Amino acid sequence: MEHQSLNKERFKDLENSKKILEDSRREIDQIDSELIDLIQKRTSLAKDIVMAKIALDMDIYDESREKLIYEKIIKIANDKDLNENTRNSIIEIVNILTSLSKSEQKKIIDKNL
């Protein structure tokens, strides 16, 4: 179900409102499941990344890569015309994801020492 702009007429009928609520919650549940799958997939790449970094004699923290990630995220958010609050929230999420990746990479290094 694609997001529809707020139309108060759609919500005057209580039965229709209940259906919209249930459908929207079901869709959010599906999206949450997909997000978890994507985060798991992203995190699972940590082993390949850290092994490549070791072979290339690189640090876990790659400032230039992180800078590119944030520039890309901000560009995508701007291209999608997201409001500032949403943009900032996405940046916070990316902060969490990059921290998780670095943490997973560190665990792999510590485990293999």
Side-chain angles (χ1 to χ4, degrees):
M1 180 172 94
E2 221 172 284
H3 176 71
Q4 300 171 2
S5 60
L6 188 57
N7 177 349
K8 292 180 184 179
E9 281 301 310
R10 292 177 57 221
F11 299 95
K12 287 196 177 190
D13 173 13
L14 291 179
E15 284 305 311
N16 191 46
S17 293
K18 285 180 186 178
K19 182 175 179 349
I20 291 169
L21 178 62
E22 290 170 10
D23 290 348
S24 296
R25 286 180 172 168
R26 193 172 15 263
E27 188 173 358
I28 284 174
D29 289 345
Q30 178 61 39
I31 291 168
D32 288 346
S33 178
E34 291 171 18
L35 284 170
I36 290 168
D37 289 344
L38 288 170
I39 291 167
Q40 181 181 21
K41 183 177 180 179
R42 187 183 196 282
T43 303
S44 73
L45 295 170
K47 183 174 184 179
D48 288 343
I49 290 170
V50 77
M51 297 308 286
K53 285 180 177 179
I54 289 169
L56 296 168
D57 196 29
M58 293 174 64
D59 291 332
I60 288 176
Y61 177 66
D62 183 349
E63 185 177 356
S64 62
R65 172 64 181 153
E66 285 201 22
K67 184 178 179 201
L68 286 173
I69 290 169
Y70 287 102
E71 287 172 357
K72 175 187 66 173
I73 294 301
I74 290 167
K75 181 182 181 334
I76 292 168
N78 287 336
D79 288 349
K80 293 185 178 287
D81 200 27
L82 301 178
N83 66 49
E84 184 178 357
N85 186 47
T86 301
R87 244 186 347 262
N88 290 339
S89 295
I90 289 171
I91 289 169
E92 287 179 44
I93 292 167
V94 171
N95 275 332
I96 292 167
L97 293 173
T98 56
S99 293
L100 177 60
S101 182
K102 287 185 281 192
S103 172
E104 289 298 311
Q105 291 176 48
K106 183 169 178 358
K107 272 196 254 179
I108 292 165
I109 287 174
D110 291 347
K111 188 172 152 182
N112 290 301
L113 288 181

